[in-house]
Amino acid sequence: MTEQLGSIRRRAVVTLVPPVVAGAVTAGTYAVLAHRLPDQAYGTGGFGDSMSWTRMVGLGIGWSVVALIWGAGWLYARRRIPTAQRWIGASTWVGSVLIAGYEIQLVLRHLDLAGPPVRPDLWWTSAPVVLPVLAVVALAAWWAMGPDPEQPDAMEGPGSTAPRLRLAAGERALWTRSVFSRRKLAWALFWAVLAAWFAATGNGYLAVTFSAFTAVASAAQSWARVRIDEQGVQVVQPLLRQTLAGVELRHVVEATAGAFDPSTLPRATYGVFHTPAQSGYRATAGGDALRLRTSNGHRFVITVPGAATAAALVNTQLDRRRATAGDDRC
């Protein structure tokens, strides 16, 4: 628990300090060089021909505050999802660099000028320079977030009333079931129709190619396979060979099955989902659902037909793991 709290604090600091630094750099740069700047900032891009420096600096500080609030809100919402936290941290770092960099280059272009025209863009603000820098910044943020906290192994097993399968001592079982995301199928159909319309109306090969590619990608992503074996539960995309979601068996306390209540998730949440209380894969609006209670109190939910058999197999595998562990300790 102490290690997990330390990791949370570290990730909060790494995520939220950059926007504060960006705001401080914005205000500090202007405060130090204000005596060498004209009364107005010219050629600010999208804000009119000129703007007062007070307003210009206020915008930079305002965006820093927005980045700070955004980072804090999403970090709290994804407090149980380590990988998502890394993306949030990388986003605040990149956003902070863009905010501070824009303000600094604007000040440097106005140094010792009495009025317009402003100096041209500086060489280090060009895309060939900025994009690699932002990529390095994102990687640095990813590394600075530190290792993901270790989830503890489950110390208890399924209750006596939990469903189980009858397997012989040397018998092994593998359970798989295909599920289809209706939302992804709908998007695949939409892009396929759009590609056909583009082709019929002669909109050009780029529009047709992009729409057709998106239709194929959406169709491939609509098919997922739920797999349960001795290692755990996984939801994979067979065509893309990608694991969407999963949990190792050693982290599972108990498996249950029942009807899925759509009200437990935000509306229109399909595919992989994460909430503070649960995560998993949702293919349909209702129907059967496999629920796994994990060692950290989180719940893993998958909407899949035949969930009762799946839950029984998981509990049987958990019993075997505990029996094997007991034998090893003797």
Side-chain angles (χ1 to χ4, degrees):
M1 180 63 71
T2 302
E3 180 183 352
Q4 187 173 6
L5 289 175
S7 176
I8 292 174
R9 293 192 188 99
R10 171 176 178 164
R11 296 192 168 197
V13 170
V14 170
T15 302
L16 303 180
V17 165
V20 176
V21 173
V25 168
T26 297
T29 302
Y30 172 72
V32 172
L33 300 174
H35 65 285
R36 298 177 56 187
L37 298 173
D39 294 336
Q40 298 283 317
Y42 303 100
T44 51
F47 299 112
D49 292 335
S50 66
M51 183 182 296
S52 69
W53 283 104
T54 302
R55 186 180 177 190
M56 199 67 228
V57 172
L59 281 172
I61 295 176
W63 280 113
S64 299
V65 172
V66 169
L68 181 66
I69 296 174
W70 182 91
W74 278 105
L75 197 63
Y76 177 79
R78 299 293 184 261
R79 60 190 181 275
R80 293 182 181 270
I81 312 166
T83 303
Q85 294 168 5
R86 293 184 182 276
W87 285 109
I88 296 166
S91 299
T92 60
W93 278 47
V94 169
S96 299
V97 168
L98 288 174
I99 293 168
Y102 178 79
E103 296 287 339
I104 291 174
Q105 66 86 27
L106 195 62
V107 168
L108 294 179
R109 290 169 60 201
H110 284 80
L111 278 181
D112 302 322
L113 289 181
V118 70
R119 295 185 181 90
D121 292 339
L122 303 173
W123 66 269
W124 50 267
T125 62
S126 61
V129 177
V130 171
L131 294 179
V133 168
L134 293 181
V136 171
V137 168
L139 290 174
W142 195 279
W143 171 82
M145 295 292 274
D148 293 339
E150 285 288 336
Q151 183 175 343
D153 290 351
M155 301 303 294
E156 55 180 317
S160 58
T161 59
R164 289 172 171 84
L165 294 180
R166 292 185 178 180
L167 297 179
E171 190 175 7
R172 301 174 62 185
L174 172 68
W175 189 92
T176 64
R177 193 68 180 259
S178 292
V179 293
F180 295 88
S181 172
R182 295 177 180 178
R183 184 179 67 170
K184 289 292 185 181
L185 286 173
W187 276 113
L189 178 61
F190 167 79
W191 285 107
V193 171
L194 196 62
W197 182 79
F198 282 148
T201 55
N203 274 272
Y205 74 94
L206 286 178
V208 175
T209 302
F210 175 79
S211 300
F213 174 80
T214 307
V216 172
S218 297
Q221 294 174 15
S222 68
W223 175 32
R225 179 174 291 157
V226 182
R227 174 189 173 97
I228 300 175
D229 56 21
E230 296 175 346
Q231 301 303 315
V233 180
Q234 283 189 327
V235 182
V236 299
Q237 288 178 333
L239 294 179
L240 302 179
R241 298 182 180 274
Q242 178 184 9
T243 299
L244 297 176
V247 58
E248 294 183 44
L249 208 62
R250 64 191 180 96
H251 297 149
V252 178
V253 176
E254 185 180 72
T256 58
F260 179 71
D261 182 6
S263 65
T264 60
L265 289 178
R267 187 177 301 176
T269 299
Y270 288 87
V272 179
F273 66 88
H274 297 289
T275 71
Q278 56 189 357
S279 61
Y281 186 88
R282 179 184 182 188
T284 59
D288 294 343
L290 170 66
R291 294 182 177 87
L292 307 176
R293 182 161 60 93
T294 63
S295 57
N296 60 359
H298 201 63
R299 289 191 178 274
F300 190 85
V301 182
I302 305 173
T303 57
V304 58
T309 303
L313 177 58
V314 171
N315 290 325
T316 302
Q317 300 283 24
L318 290 173
D319 289 342
R320 283 187 168 183
R321 285 183 62 89
R322 291 177 64 83
T324 302
D327 292 342
D328 291 343
R329 288 192 295 266
C330 294

